[in-house]
Amino acid sequence: MEERRLSSVDPNWPRAGGWLAGDHEQGAARRLAVLGAPLHVSSLTAGRCDLAPGAIRRALDRLGTHDIELDVDVREVAARDLGDLPLAESTPEAALDPLSSAVAAAAVAADVAVVLGGDNSVTRPGVHGLGALDEIGLLTIDAHLDLRDTTNGLTNGNPVRALLEDGLPGQHVTQVGIQAFANSRRYVDVARDAGITVVTADETRHRGLEAVIKEELQRLKAQVKSIYVDLDVDVLDRAFAPGSPGSRPGGLAPADVRAAARTVGRHPNVRAVDIVEVDPTTDVADVTVLAAASFLLAFAAGLAARPL
């Protein structure tokens, strides 16, 4: 608390919370809209992911605005916080229209819209918010395929399956970080039959997450106009994400995901991103919430460095 109190009054060390509240450089060339989507009632794992948008915003007060890796300041991006949609008690079915409409409006008013979940069920309406599905690519950074059967309704375990059924071509989907013992063979077969590109966690580590993301963004760019990125925090190793209900040992490291978020931010076809599956009530020392907040900032830093 003492460190936070002292640094918060240092005029030479601006806080990222102030940036999200509107503290940006005059003439900022890039615009970013942030929207809270606290969906959680249909999660397959119990938790309070609806509390994540507020927790991530508060975590920004503990982080600075300068990214030493890119030598940019996120205040070079004009951020606008649109607040939270009233979705905490909504089903994914009921949330489709209000959330997709909100993402569509945010994407028109800004270079990129960022959706703070909530659970992974926000991804389907988020993708719909970018327009016609045959013109959209989906890149997920996730431990899970999210291809569960939709017969009994929509959950955080089947947004990608629902999008396929809505008409999103499987060839327009790449899923990175998929973990062993976190998905069934049947759903791996669904991905294969649909033409989805799947990159496992072990393959990702071997090739390098940032390299995989760059390659897949370029592959998708050749097929689509806009790209939606789903960043599920449970892609992290459980040691780094105790507050993400689906995280497991064997996942990725925060530094690698942060670097990937920068790469995503720099890509001109990325129009919307979600950050999902954080339950602040089960976190330890705020490690998961701080990781999620850092991913938002890394993405914004990448956007600041995006060619005009």
Side-chain angles (χ1 to χ4, degrees), residues 4 129 227:
R4 182 181 179 187
I227 298 173

PDB file of all heavy atoms in Angstrom, residues 4 129 227:
ATOM      1  N   ARG A   4       2.166   1.954  -3.450  1.00  0.00           N
ATOM      2  CA  ARG A   4       1.101   2.467  -4.306  1.00  0.00           C
ATOM      3  C   ARG A   4       0.804   3.912  -3.962  1.00  0.00           C
ATOM      4  O   ARG A   4       0.621   4.762  -4.826  1.00  0.00           O
ATOM      5  CB  ARG A   4      -0.140   1.603  -4.141  1.00  0.00           C
ATOM      6  CG  ARG A   4      -1.303   2.035  -5.041  1.00  0.00           C
ATOM      7  CD  ARG A   4      -2.506   1.142  -4.811  1.00  0.00           C
ATOM      8  NE  ARG A   4      -3.616   1.554  -5.637  1.00  0.00           N
ATOM      9  CZ  ARG A   4      -4.826   1.057  -5.549  1.00  0.00           C
ATOM     10  NH1 ARG A   4      -5.075   0.108  -4.668  1.00  0.00           N
ATOM     11  NH2 ARG A   4      -5.797   1.476  -6.325  1.00  0.00           N
ATOM     12  N   GLY A 129     -20.296  -8.701 -33.554  1.00  0.00           N
ATOM     13  CA  GLY A 129     -20.242  -7.250 -33.598  1.00  0.00           C
ATOM     14  C   GLY A 129     -19.376  -6.690 -34.706  1.00  0.00           C
ATOM     15  O   GLY A 129     -19.491  -5.505 -35.049  1.00  0.00           O
ATOM     16  N   ILE A 227     -10.240  -9.148 -37.906  1.00  0.00           N
ATOM     17  CA  ILE A 227      -9.854 -10.250 -37.029  1.00  0.00           C
ATOM     18  C   ILE A 227     -10.280  -9.936 -35.606  1.00  0.00           C
ATOM     19  O   ILE A 227     -10.073  -8.818 -35.105  1.00  0.00           O
ATOM     20  CB  ILE A 227      -8.331 -10.494 -37.081  1.00  0.00           C
ATOM     21  CG1 ILE A 227      -7.905 -10.893 -38.487  1.00  0.00           C
ATOM     22  CG2 ILE A 227      -7.923 -11.582 -36.079  1.00  0.00           C
ATOM     23  CD1 ILE A 227      -6.403 -10.990 -38.678  1.00  0.00           C
TER      24      ILE A 227
END
